[in-house]
Amino acid sequence: MDIATQSIEGGFADPVFNAQTVFRAIMDAMARPGSVQALPQLAQPPAPLAATAAAVALSLCDNDTPIWLDPRLQAEASVKAWLGFHTGAPLANTPADAHFALVANPAEMAALDGFSQGTQEYPDRSTTLILLVDDLASGPSLLLEGPGIEKTAMIAPVGMPRHFVEQWKQNNQRFPRGVDIILAAPGSLACLPRTTRIKTMEA
Amino acid sequence: MSAQSTDIATYNFAYLDEQTKRMIRRAILKGIAIPGYQVPFASREMPMPYGWGTGGVQVTASIIGPDDVLKVIDQGADDTTNAVSIRAFFKKVAKVEVTTDTARATIIQTRHRIPEHSLTAGQVLVFQVPIPEPLRFLEPRETETRKMHALEEYGLMHVKLYEDIAKHGRIATTYAYPVKVEGRYVMDPSPTPKFDNPKMHRSPALQLFGAGREKRIYAVPPFTDVVSLDFEDHPFEVQTFDQPCALCGAENVYLDEVILDDHGGHMFVCSDTDHCEKRRGDPTTPLWGGRAEGAGDLATTPATPTPALRADPPHKGEGKEAE
């Protein structure tokens, strides 16, 4: 299949209702950090972009939101063409210019503080990171607390960025500035807003 | 799903176009991530005037889906003009199921009350907000209030509350009582009576706030600390009422004064009509004998709600709503 065909196929079958379904899953996940929201496969993007991350991008990105792609996605012309055709979003030149960042290889990704953190006056002008992970249950456990969590929540995503716990602590300390993370796994997603703290377990 | 999308020929689902919804959805996510921070958004003109809940309507329109059950209240009542017309609006443009039952609703759009029935996880409360900036009447310049929020400089708000004490001997603010969210942002809970402030604290429901004219969206995620500002020697207190509701006998609920005649007859009834009607319909509720002053025969409590006891006259178009 050539790039032109690949970039046209695989969008939302029903843009209005699919976008709403995906958004509600993201909203619930963001409001209840650590909760895993199931999501049917609604988009068929070219590899290495995965269905869940693609659905998130389709429901939130448009010509107002520059997207930054990590090197693995950047290398695929078909991914850029697909996102371009379906969302109309421009590509950000640097992580600091991005409203959204799609990261197919989180383990190798750049430091969180390289992305836009917002300003003290406008902390909302920050990058939302969409990390493609293999699953949310079999990696190292993260014990979470903060707004949206009654007591504690547990999540165990596979293939998180290096020194993630330490980087996330620094992200917490920048509050109200900081990045938010959407973890996109096959068939499900979870969120880590900047308010969520990772409790380090005393061993 | 596809049947539903072909049903709606004139409008996009839930009235707003998809790009607007995406813009509002992004603002909502940022609001949830930064509890109490007012996210600017490109508010649209809606087919109703500012002040009628255009902010709340835009938030509701952006989150609502075909499976949602919508409840709309205005000062606690399901049957007042604002509530009825917004409910009718979403029935028309989104074809969603509407209800007056608090427990059954998945989205509750509200003007200035939080229902008496405790909310549950999974429910979303959407507030209509006139002035989102709690510091606006103290400092009119947006550039300054933004800096004050950035620097967490809220001394002015405490001075305002202190001036209340100096003038009246107590904090006289009774509605739009400022709160601090998760120990960081001072937030206007919208003009709800301060009676409802404690319900915001660690609520299991997600609370979203939309201000259409002022173009701001903010949020309080579930289980988030919402603390009303006060002083050690003047702790925050909610309103109390001497009498229970004259219709259902409920205590510890927020009451509205209803004028009954031209001779000073009045009574206090639940502001939350759903709560009141449920209690009156429930045979196990101990009935209150009626203590409305000078209310005469009207005060005898009927077992079922009757139109004669309504807090407001029925208005045009209300009967058309099949609920």
Side-chain angles (χ1 to χ4, degrees):
Chain A
M1 207 163 27
D2 61 14
I3 285 180
T5 326
Q6 267 188 342
S7 67
I8 290 168
E9 287 176 358
F12 282 153
D14 194 342
V16 172
F17 294 105
N18 290 167
Q20 194 271 340
T21 305
V22 176
F23 167 72
R24 275 297 273 273
I26 303 169
M27 184 178 86
D28 288 343
M30 196 65 93
R32 291 172 180 77
S35 70
V36 175
Q37 307 290 330
L39 199 65
Q41 182 173 347
L42 296 170
Q44 291 87 38
L49 187 56
T52 307
V56 172
L58 291 189
S59 67
L60 294 178
C61 300
D62 55 30
N63 52 4
D64 287 334
T65 59
I67 304 179
W68 184 79
L69 302 176
D70 81 338
R72 187 179 285 181
L73 293 170
Q74 189 78 41
E76 290 296 326
S78 57
V79 169
K80 286 189 275 190
W82 191 86
L83 285 170
F85 177 78
H86 289 283
T87 69
L91 290 181
N93 291 323
T94 67
D97 296 329
H99 287 203
F100 290 91
L102 279 163
V103 181
N105 186 10
E108 303 286 321
M109 76 181 283
L112 297 185
D113 61 10
F115 293 92
S116 174
Q117 308 288 315
T119 64
Q120 200 69 14
E121 278 85 3
Y122 291 95
D124 57 303
R125 295 178 183 173
S126 58
T127 307
T128 301
L129 308 175
I130 304 165
L131 308 188
L132 282 71
V133 294
D134 289 336
D135 78 71
L136 298 167
S138 62
S141 299
L142 303 174
L143 191 62
L144 311 176
E145 57 178 18
I149 303 170
E150 188 168 12
K151 289 191 178 81
T152 54
M154 181 84 87
I155 191 170
V158 176
M160 291 296 277
R162 271 174 294 188
H163 309 298
F164 179 70
V165 175
E166 184 52 38
Q167 286 202 66
W168 193 251
K169 190 179 276 179
Q170 289 168 8
N171 192 54
N172 287 153
Q173 283 161 354
R174 283 189 284 268
F175 190 84
R177 301 185 306 132
V179 296
D180 309 309
I181 292 179
I182 300 172
L183 298 168
S188 64
L189 60 83
C191 288
L192 293 174
R194 65 194 78 179
T195 48
T196 301
R197 297 176 297 274
I198 299 176
K199 246 172 117 170
T200 38
M201 291 181 231
E202 274 115 279
Chain B
M1 288 242 179
S2 52
Q4 230 147 347
S5 31
T6 48
D7 275 355
I8 303 162
T10 358
Y11 291 101
N12 189 26
F13 177 77
Y15 186 77
L16 293 175
D17 61 278
E18 288 303 299
Q19 189 171 8
T20 299
K21 284 188 200 166
R22 273 194 299 273
M23 175 269 297
I24 293 172
R25 287 166 178 172
R26 291 192 296 259
I28 291 171
L29 293 181
K30 284 283 163 53
I32 295 171
I34 318 166
Y37 166 74
Q38 301 160 48
V39 186
F41 81 110
S43 177
R44 301 294 194 245
E45 281 198 24
M46 298 301 283
M48 61 189 76
Y50 286 140
W52 284 65
T54 54
V57 167
Q58 288 178 78
V59 170
T60 301
S62 302
I63 64 173
I64 204 164
D67 301 330
D68 277 307
V69 181
L70 178 71
K71 170 183 165 85
V72 185
I73 52 173
D74 173 7
Q75 306 273 12
D78 294 284
D79 55 3
T80 49
T81 315
N82 198 215
V84 171
S85 46
I86 291 175
R87 214 159 47 224
F89 176 74
F90 280 109
K91 264 179 83 171
K92 182 171 182 182
V93 300
K95 292 193 159 57
V96 289
E97 187 185 348
V98 295
T99 184
T100 58
D101 185 350
T102 304
R104 236 172 63 74
T106 56
I107 299 174
I108 303 172
Q109 183 172 330
T110 171
R111 174 174 174 270
H112 315 346
R113 268 317 305 283
I114 298 175
E116 305 290 357
H117 192 287
S118 49
L119 301 175
T120 54
Q123 287 184 309
V124 185
L125 195 57
V126 179
F127 292 78
Q128 303 170 200
V129 183
I131 310 281
E133 178 52 74
L135 303 165
R136 182 59 70 234
F137 291 109
L138 308 170
E139 170 52 67
R141 289 167 296 183
E142 170 68 14
T143 47
E144 292 302 304
T145 53
R146 201 154 269 283
K147 212 168 279 172
M148 289 158 81
H149 283 294
L151 301 174
E152 212 179 338
E153 174 50 71
Y154 295 126
L156 206 54
M157 188 53 94
H158 277 101
V159 171
K160 186 218 167 219
L161 296 176
Y162 171 72
E163 280 179 351
D164 262 13
I165 295 171
K167 256 190 228 162
H168 308 286
R170 63 193 167 83
I171 299 174
T173 307
T174 53
Y175 66 94
Y177 192 104
V179 293
K180 197 164 206 181
V181 181
E182 204 57 27
R184 178 56 178 82
Y185 280 99
V186 164
M187 185 188 92
D188 184 344
S190 87
T192 50
K194 66 178 177 178
F195 183 87
D196 286 338
N197 278 16
K199 292 182 197 162
M200 289 188 172
H201 179 63
R202 298 193 69 79
S203 166
L206 169 64
Q207 302 172 79
L208 302 175
F209 299 77
R213 180 187 48 215
E214 302 293 319
K215 301 174 173 54
R216 295 289 184 274
I217 283 172
Y218 51 106
V220 175
F223 306 112
T224 299
D225 289 345
V226 179
V227 179
S228 304
L229 299 181
D230 61 0
F231 298 98
E232 261 175 38
D233 52 345
H234 285 272
F236 172 77
E237 283 171 343
V238 298
Q239 291 100 330
T240 53
F241 299 89
D242 299 337
Q243 301 174 4
C245 168
L247 295 183
C248 76
E251 288 174 324
N252 303 317
V253 295
Y254 194 74
L255 302 181
D256 282 339
E257 184 179 8
V258 177
I259 306 295
L260 296 172
D261 52 33
D262 291 342
H263 312 290
H266 65 114
M267 63 178 180
F268 287 91
V269 297
C270 286
S271 133
D272 185 336
T273 52
D274 174 58
H275 181 75
C276 199
E277 282 171 18
K278 284 249 171 54
R279 282 178 55 88
R280 279 181 287 157
D282 180 359
T284 59
T285 304
L287 283 181
W288 173 248
R291 217 199 277 172
E293 291 160 38
D297 288 344
L298 268 178
T300 48
T301 311
T304 49
T306 64
L309 277 162
R310 287 171 46 123
D312 61 329
H315 40 75
K316 252 170 104 179
E318 189 184 65
K320 285 180 201 154
E321 217 180 2
E323 282 174 13

